Amino acid sequence: MSVVWVLNGPNLGRLGSREPDVYGSVDYAGLVTVCQETGKELGFDVEVRQTDDEAELVGWLHAAADDAIPVVLNPAAFTHYSYAVRDACAQLRAPLIEVHISNPATRESFRHNSVIAGVATGTIAGFGINSYRLALAALARL
Ligand code: DQA
């Protein structure tokens, strides 16, 4: 069974209580379950991780690059300014799907630019937790 990593950046561990009007009521544990169940349906062994630490996220991306593991990444706020995360993503050797729960294009102007999008295979945003389901389904089609 092929391995897929679902990596989540800062504040996503607070899903459920964090701005539910924007991010919905499913908590982080629920997100993990959704990803693992979707993975099972698609024949993926899905590992889900979250960190608030940029260095830790960069380290995970290096490990994914070394082992050519496909990645679904919600970079959260790093999306908009982290060249370190972008440069780590650029080293990946398997597909990278950027996901967002909300649609950043409809929100504050600082969210309109993604420094990650240019090195991602594709981006899925605005479908709530279903963005992750769609990202895993996209990986299954590649
Ligand atoms: C987010 C959108 C980002 O702008 C924000 O900083 C997040 C979450 C999303 O999933 O909608 O933390 O990536």
Side-chain angles (χ1 to χ4, degrees), residues 10-12 18 23 74-80 99-104 107 110-111 132:
N11 297 301
L12 291 168
R18 175 194 184 193
Y23 298 111
N74 186 340
F78 293 148
T79 305
H80 312 299
V99 294
H100 299 283
I101 297 166
S102 67
N103 181 355
R107 301 179 61 197
F110 74 87
R111 297 186 201 276
Y132 290 80

Side-chain angles (χ1 to χ4, degrees), residues 49-120:
R49 300 182 188 175
Q50 188 274 327
T51 183
D52 294 329
D53 185 303
E54 187 179 30
E56 186 168 38
L57 182 56
V58 167
W60 291 345
L61 290 164
H62 290 169
D66 288 346
D67 291 345
I69 295 170
V71 173
V72 172
L73 173 65
N74 186 340
F78 293 148
T79 305
H80 312 299
Y81 68 89
S82 176
Y83 299 123
V85 172
R86 179 201 163 97
D87 286 352
C89 288
Q91 298 170 51
L92 292 169
R93 294 185 294 128
L96 167 67
I97 314 292
E98 177 184 351
V99 294
H100 299 283
I101 297 166
S102 67
N103 181 355
T106 63
R107 301 179 61 197
E108 303 96 321
S109 58
F110 74 87
R111 297 186 201 276
H112 294 180
N113 186 47
S114 167
V115 302
I116 309 299
V119 292

Side-chain angles (χ1 to χ4, degrees), residues 35-51:
C35 291
Q36 286 173 342
E37 284 179 355
T38 306
K40 220 175 275 173
E41 287 161 22
L42 296 167
F44 291 143
D45 178 6
V46 174
E47 179 164 334
V48 189
R49 300 182 188 175
Q50 188 274 327
T51 183

